[in-house]
Amino acid sequence: MAEEVILLDFWASMFGMRTRIALAEKRIKYDYREEDLWNKSSLLLEMNPVHKKIPVLIHNGKPVCESLIQIEYIDEIWPDKNSLLPSDPYKRAHAKFWADFIDKKVNVTARKIWAKIGEEEEASKELIEILKTLENELGDKTYFGDETFGYVDIALIGFSSWFEVYDKYGNVNIESECPNLIAWAKRCLERESVAKALPKSEKITTFISELRKKLGFE
Amino acid sequence: MASGEVKLIGSWASVFVMRARIALHLKFISYEFLQETYGSKSELLLKSNPVHKKMPVLIHSDKPVCESNIIVQYIDDVWNSSGPSILPSHPYDRAIARFWAAYIDDKWFISLRSILTAQGEEETKAFIAQVEERTELLEKAFIDCSKGKLFFNGDHIGYLDIALGSFLGWLRVVELDANHKFLDETKTPSLTKWAERFCNDPAVKPIMPEITKLAEFARKLFPKPQG
């Protein structure tokens, strides 16, 4: 059966990057459609009426929403190449725990650094603590999944393209605070799926700078 | 893999702990229930869940699993030949079940809890309206997911039934506190019937907390301001 796979996404979204990476790891051909978040398409609103957010994966006309759910779906639908989640139930639960931690903590805190005025200092301290917890979990493993690149790596790596933004507006230096995490990010970027999915940091920093001007922050 | 001692750190009043207990009951797993004392956290809890320091924690052969929805999926994975399947079999249905379970925790529950902590009538009314709207979405989700059958998961209770159903005791407490029904035959006919079926399921009935006991506990957790 001919597969139709569409991804509604936004180039700078660290969540969209997850799905791009997962699809690339599985060598799935798909139609990438860039959304204007300030003028959302009728397709996006129809496919994700509850949250009206990207990314939305549309597989043979049926939408799957939420990036972590999309990774699991992609892994289950196309199980033959590059497993994204461990097969062992305990390791799988462990991977889900850390991906859930990333979702609960990283963006919520990081957003306060650039999207608000007045909370940067506290938020950047909190972000460093969160990243250090993740660095601790990584330990001296090659990837979060140990020898295999997988679910937790995919959940986190997109944020690395935003580290320059957090450094700039949070007045921190993530590289000096979390050197092992930065080394991990560089290893991930050696993978083609990641290198193609992540925009250059400078592009994101420029985008955020312009956005902040529009919001009247500078 | 399915052998090994099972312990669950939790409390009778916790929605999230209840999810794990229902899953264990569905799979006929014997476990030691280690109840936490309200107001303090045991050393075992802090050691088993150092990141969040929260219950439930499932300890299987001395290895901890944290986060209620993750625990439920773990139980389904490990004891896959015991009892009914908790997650749907088709990947798309699984994705939908996971989507709504996330919605319940991230959106629906947050507004529900906000009713208990709301300051003043205006705020309370706003949160009530929000819960109404979100419950309507869940009514539609039930119709879509159940496909005419008794539960979100079809013939047997499953992941999404557990995700929402474990809230039914607390939902009743909030309804009584706010003097407002969210589940009723006119607004949410399918969910109302489902709720009764869920509460009467043999895996659920013995552990659904008594409403008066829960309401009393709620008053301790969410004291009303004086005056």
Side-chain angles (χ1 to χ4, degrees), chain A residues 5-51:
Chain A
V5 182
I6 298 169
L7 180 65
L8 305 181
D9 198 353
F10 179 68
W11 68 275
S13 163
M14 58 288 266
F15 304 103
M17 289 174 213
R18 292 170 172 176
T19 314
R20 287 173 231 163
I21 293 168
L23 288 166
E25 287 285 321
K26 297 286 189 175
R27 317 262 194 278
I28 304 301
K29 288 195 168 61
Y30 65 99
D31 178 7
Y32 176 93
R33 295 194 196 167
E34 186 70 29
E35 282 285 329
D36 174 359
L37 297 185
W38 291 267
N39 185 17
K40 292 175 181 177
S41 72
S42 52
L43 183 62
L44 172 57
L45 300 177
E46 185 198 325
M47 292 284 134
N48 191 359
V50 174
H51 301 302

Side-chain angles (χ1 to χ4, degrees), chain B residues 105-175:
Chain B
D105 278 2
D106 300 340
K107 301 279 182 192
W108 186 81
F109 162 60
I110 302 299
S111 1
L112 187 72
R113 190 179 58 184
S114 300
I115 295 173
L116 290 175
T117 56
Q119 306 288 320
E121 215 186 303
E122 282 311 304
E123 224 180 87
T124 310
K125 269 196 192 144
F127 286 124
I128 288 176
Q130 207 175 64
V131 175
E132 280 274 327
E133 205 182 296
R134 292 173 176 183
T135 309
E136 239 185 81
L137 269 185
L138 293 176
E139 167 82 4
K140 290 199 189 92
F142 178 80
I143 294 165
D144 288 340
C145 295
S146 64
K147 302 182 178 80
K149 294 194 172 180
L150 299 173
F151 298 103
F152 282 94
N153 201 40
D155 294 318
H156 312 281
I157 70 174
Y159 184 71
L160 191 47
D161 301 280
I162 296 171
L164 183 60
S166 51
F167 277 108
L168 288 170
W170 276 98
L171 178 62
R172 192 72 199 110
V173 166
V174 175
E175 284 181 336

